[in-house]
Amino acid sequence: MDPAAPRNPRGGPRVSSVTGTAAADPTEVICLGESMVTFMPSRPGRLADVPSFARTIGGAESNVACALAAAGHRVKWVSRVGADGFGDHLVEAIGAYGVDTSAVGRDPDRPTGIYFRTATDRSTDAHEVAYYRAGSAASAMSPMTLPYAELTGARVLHLSGITAALSADCLALMLELTERREGRPLVSFDVNHRPGLWRDASGPEVLLELARGADLVFVGEDEAADAWGLHGGAAIRAALPEPGVVVVKHGARGATAYTGPPPETAEGPEDAAPGAVFAPAPRVDVVAPVGAGDAFAAGFLSGTLRELPLRDRLRHGHLMAAAALTVPGDLGTPPSTAHADRLAELDDAAWGRLRLGPGWTSAVDEEVRTS
């Protein structure tokens, strides 16, 4: 894809600048992983006390796919769902974002996964999640059901560690997809450490192996500490020397992209290592602290596809995360490409004054608060 070619920022076909006719774009990103029907509580409280729930969709990889498609990219979601009403809902809802769902398999013998969650922050002890995904259709994904040749027809293949935890077959598929081989697409991997999904203590070791096989890795500083006992971006980069880019997320402080060799010391500021770029996150008036990690990955991948500088890729990640944080569910409407570009290109002082609240993605630049 020529990043300078004209594009409809809301996902329509590109128009040739020479002929004025619609051009058939190849898929830019394939996102592989389970999506589930999510039941959101009608009010805060324990699951035992919540009287009703609203139905929505959830899944790390499909969240990334939806955000990228909403930002104008050609994206395919690959997965399996049951031959049931919940499967119908997932395919229709994700497809409505402009995501290609033609590669989603339907399993007549296994159900679509569902889960219920509380409204509290995932990082608190009060947060509850009840998964009903054991034996789901997606857990039957394997190298046999998804041949490697069918997953390489894009510039980027986006995966997450959640898939590896679903079953032995899913792990075999993930190991195959992260095997380094000639001609493969750029493999993007979000660690997404979920201790409750692993049936034994192998999760951290498996996630480290998969991350080392990827080209681009997203990992939170907190989850690297929990999974691997690593503290600080420099230590994380040292443990992941193989990927071309390692993005370490520092929560509300910002994120660092490491592209150079592992640093000689874990001391010093985030951007002290060779090839490291730190971008602080803007201040956000948070409505619901969910979906930000997936949205950040989508924003950074969008900048990668457009070959933007590292700082701007990180800033686009922060902006996409802010779009998710300022709505109740996992998926927010991203700003237009032009709007996001204008914000990402602000000087450091103006970027530091940004404050983003509900509705900011549809505001003109002058309406975005800077104090």
Side-chain angles (χ1 to χ4, degrees):
M1 181 192 73
D2 176 4
R7 170 179 294 282
N8 178 342
R10 290 300 183 190
R14 282 192 309 182
V15 176
S16 167
S17 58
V18 176
T19 65
T21 58
D25 281 352
T27 300
E28 294 175 281
V29 183
I30 292 174
C31 297
L32 181 148
E34 180 174 35
S35 188
M36 294 177 292
V37 173
T38 308
F39 289 92
M40 304 271 290
S42 57
R43 62 174 175 80
R46 301 183 310 153
L47 286 179
D49 300 328
V50 175
S52 59
F53 297 81
R55 184 185 66 176
T56 182
I57 60 175
E61 301 84 1
S62 60
N63 285 347
V64 172
C66 290
L68 280 169
H73 294 284
R74 300 288 183 175
V75 190
K76 179 181 289 187
W77 172 51
V78 177
S79 188
R80 289 172 68 83
V81 299
D84 50 33
F86 286 148
D88 293 341
H89 174 64
L90 282 176
V91 172
E92 292 168 5
I94 293 170
Y97 279 86
V99 176
D100 180 352
T101 61
S102 62
V104 178
R106 306 303 293 264
D107 192 321
D109 302 316
R110 298 177 178 84
T112 303
I114 64 173
Y115 78 99
F116 298 77
R117 67 173 176 85
T118 53
T120 51
D121 189 332
R122 287 174 177 166
S123 65
T124 70
D125 292 337
H127 183 67
E128 297 176 74
V129 179
Y131 288 109
Y132 298 91
R133 72 196 308 177
S136 69
S139 70
M141 292 188 294
S142 72
M144 295 295 293
T145 62
L146 295 173
Y148 179 82
E150 296 181 9
L151 299 172
T152 57
R155 289 181 59 186
V156 176
L157 172 62
H158 181 70
L159 311 168
S160 95
I162 294 173
T163 305
L166 299 181
S167 68
D169 283 342
C170 283
L171 174 56
L173 175 63
M174 292 290 289
L175 290 171
E176 179 177 83
L177 295 177
T178 54
E179 178 184 340
R180 295 194 179 277
R181 65 183 79 192
E182 186 178 355
R184 76 174 189 177
L186 184 146
V187 175
S188 166
F189 180 72
D190 194 335
V191 172
N192 266 324
H193 180 226
R194 300 285 188 270
L197 293 179
W198 292 90
R199 293 168 294 282
D200 54 39
S202 66
E205 181 181 352
V206 170
L207 292 174
L208 186 61
E209 179 181 358
L210 294 173
R212 294 182 68 177
D215 302 301
L216 166 60
V217 174
F218 299 97
V219 61
E221 194 171 19
D222 55 349
E223 67 181 342
D226 292 341
W228 305 321
L230 300 173
H231 299 279
I236 296 167
R237 176 54 166 165
L240 297 171
E242 296 89 352
V245 181
V246 175
V247 178
V248 179
K249 297 173 288 182
H250 311 291
R253 286 197 300 119
T256 305
Y258 293 88
T259 59
E264 296 180 1
T265 176
E267 302 297 327
E270 282 86 359
D271 59 353
V277 175
F278 172 73
R283 287 171 294 170
V284 178
D285 296 332
V286 177
V287 172
V290 293
D294 302 330
F296 179 92
F300 190 92
L301 285 172
S302 176
T304 299
L305 289 164
R306 297 170 61 206
E307 302 181 3
L308 299 180
L310 271 180
R311 186 208 67 171
D312 291 359
R313 298 182 199 186
L314 290 167
R315 286 186 172 186
H316 276 275
H318 290 319
L319 292 170
M320 198 79 86
L325 289 169
T326 50
V327 296
D330 286 14
L331 292 166
T333 301
S336 70
T337 301
H339 187 185
D341 282 344
R342 285 194 294 272
L343 293 178
E345 292 166 3
L346 291 173
D347 61 40
D348 290 346
W351 176 263
R353 292 193 298 269
L354 276 181
R355 184 169 181 177
L356 306 174
W360 76 269
T361 59
S362 59
V364 296
D365 286 347
E366 290 75 10
E367 294 173 330
V368 175
R369 284 182 288 172
T370 57
S371 62

